[in-house]
Amino acid sequence: MKNNDISDSNFISVIGYGTFITLGHWKNKFNVEVCTVNNFTRIFPRNSWFPYALKSSGSFKALKFDVTKEEIKILDKIEGVNNGLFKRVMVDILLKNSRSSSAFMYVPTEETIASQKLSLESDKIDRWKEEIKKRPEIVRKFPDLFI
């Protein structure tokens, strides 16, 4: 994790819950920590190579990290925001010691939900946890992801 030598107001908090975790997009970022994302469920449909977060009464563990304004533009491109695949929304999260906060998270658009036939029934056990567990570095650095 980088040392923060400039004001936090220059950073944007983002939630990594899928490939942002497994592909290491959290590396060399500021303020990386495990969080609980409230009012969403992570699903990993069998016909997909990445997970989605759908609005629900549930919650799941993810990584919160801070990026610059330039980096958020890159993440928007990765997530296909301009192509209508995902949209960036502000969500409520819980950090360690029950600290409430909020961060941006990428969720599928209504068009993506319809075209991919996404539903909470697509994955009732959060299969993406098994993908994360395949990365020893992540398991070692962030054991709270699996609690």
Side-chain angles (χ1 to χ4, degrees):
M1 289 177 265
K2 288 183 179 178
N3 288 327
N4 189 348
D5 59 352
I6 53 181
S7 167
D8 283 345
S9 65
N10 293 316
F11 291 96
I12 301 164
S13 292
V14 176
I15 300 301
Y17 65 87
T19 58
F20 282 4
I21 296 175
T22 57
L23 297 179
H25 289 290
W26 52 271
K27 292 182 179 183
N28 300 316
K29 299 297 186 262
F30 296 91
N31 304 317
V32 179
E33 59 185 303
V34 174
C35 70
T36 301
V37 179
N38 297 312
N39 303 310
F40 283 87
T41 296
R42 177 174 45 207
I43 63 166
F44 182 35
R46 298 218 179 264
N47 63 343
S48 182
W49 58 274
F50 54 86
Y52 301 87
L54 297 180
K55 194 88 170 132
S56 74
S57 59
S59 65
F60 66 92
K61 300 284 187 176
L63 289 182
K64 190 272 310 169
F65 55 90
D66 294 348
V67 298
T68 66
K69 291 174 184 174
E70 301 309 314
E71 289 171 319
I72 197 83
K73 292 175 189 174
I74 294 167
L75 296 179
D76 282 354
K77 285 182 183 176
I78 291 170
E79 293 298 290
V81 171
N82 292 338
N83 299 327
L85 181 62
F86 283 87
K87 59 186 175 182
R88 182 169 25 106
V89 299
M90 186 64 70
V91 298
D92 295 326
I93 59 174
L94 265 179
L95 301 169
K96 206 170 195 170
N97 301 324
S98 298
R99 293 178 294 138
S100 293
S101 190
S102 58
F104 281 111
M105 184 170 75
Y106 293 91
V107 299
T109 62
E110 292 302 320
E111 294 81 13
T112 299
I113 290 170
S115 71
Q116 299 300 309
K117 298 179 177 72
L118 301 177
S119 76
L120 296 174
E121 300 299 312
S122 303
D123 176 9
K124 293 184 179 184
I125 61 169
D126 192 2
R127 292 182 326 106
W128 193 255
K129 276 187 188 178
E130 296 307 313
E131 293 300 313
I132 299 169
K133 286 180 181 176
K134 294 176 183 176
R135 284 25 181 227
E137 177 186 21
I138 297 168
V139 173
R140 194 172 48 256
K141 283 187 177 218
F142 306 109
D144 291 353
L145 274 174
F146 309 100
I147 294 174

